Amino acid sequence: MAVLFRDNVKCIIEALLFAADEPLTIDDICRIVEIDRADAVELIDELKKEYENGNRGLQVVEIADEFGLATKPEFAPYIKRLYKNEKRINSVLSRAALETLAIIAYKQPVSRAEIDIIRGVSSESTINTLLERGLIEETGRLDAPGRPVLYGTTKAFLEYFGLKSISDLPSLDDEAGE
């Protein structure tokens, strides 16, 4: 790829990451820009490094093998001020929702009955809220009487908590020792 063309393609990828409503896969980028996978991976890596090494408020993030632009964590207090007066009902999770979400994240796939046993209370309402927000989804059914629904986390869960994959969750052993 010629240097001038290469820089232009990198700018196009940057513009796509900025304009996209959701993170893009390598395949999306290859299809839109009409380049091969190796070039797309290399250009995204270059963009990542440029954002990391430059004096910029943004970064290239990878979540579940998809890429997007996001503000750097150190600028979160300023972003919060920007949205301070907006009602952000969807951004705040209750203690019950966080508790239920943690159980699902660590034990998935998990049934509502298992969640209820761990929590000691009914989780029906909380599970419905998490389903509505798209943080969890039905992943199948348990091969048991009544065939209860099994739940797992979604890509939106990863995005909400800034995780690349579910394996990025802190280990339960680490948390217990603190």
Side-chain angles (χ1 to χ4, degrees), residues 5-167:
F5 177 70
R6 178 184 188 75
D7 288 343
N8 190 37
V9 172
K10 191 175 4 173
C11 289
I12 292 168
I13 293 172
E14 181 180 34
L16 291 173
L17 295 178
F18 176 77
D21 290 339
E22 296 182 355
L24 299 173
T25 65
I26 293 290
D27 292 337
D28 292 333
I29 293 167
C30 290
R31 179 181 47 78
I32 295 166
V33 184
E34 298 177 347
I35 58 173
D36 65 45
R37 187 175 187 82
D39 286 335
V41 169
E42 190 175 317
L43 291 169
I44 288 172
D45 284 342
E46 286 179 22
L47 270 174
K48 276 185 181 178
K49 287 176 185 155
E50 288 173 14
Y51 275 95
E52 287 170 8
N53 298 329
N55 188 19
R56 296 182 172 170
L58 300 176
Q59 62 184 342
V60 175
V61 293
E62 181 180 357
I63 298 170
D65 295 324
E66 296 180 341
F67 299 88
L69 284 178
T71 55
K72 289 184 176 176
E74 59 264 33
F75 302 117
Y78 303 100
I79 304 300
K80 285 180 184 174
R81 286 184 205 162
L82 175 65
Y83 292 106
K84 181 176 100 179
N85 295 326
E86 276 190 26
K87 295 202 178 204
R88 307 277 305 181
I89 295 169
N90 291 334
S91 67
V92 178
L93 292 174
S94 68
R95 181 182 174 110
L98 286 171
E99 189 176 271
T100 303
L101 196 51
I103 292 167
I104 294 168
Y106 282 100
K107 298 194 79 54
Q108 62 187 308
V110 62
S111 70
R112 193 185 103 208
E114 292 172 287
I115 296 166
D116 291 351
I117 289 168
I118 293 168
R119 291 191 64 226
V121 296
S122 174
S123 300
E124 183 175 7
S125 174
T126 305
I127 287 172
N128 288 335
T129 299
L130 294 171
L131 284 167
E132 287 171 12
R133 290 187 176 182
L135 295 171
I136 64 169
E137 64 187 353
E138 295 182 8
T139 60
R141 294 203 171 255
L142 190 61
D143 190 19
R147 306 227 348 114
V149 172
L150 295 173
Y151 298 99
T153 57
T154 64
K155 188 176 87 174
F157 166 84
L158 297 175
E159 291 172 358
Y160 187 91
F161 289 100
L163 302 171
K164 185 175 177 181
S165 72
I166 201 72
S167 63

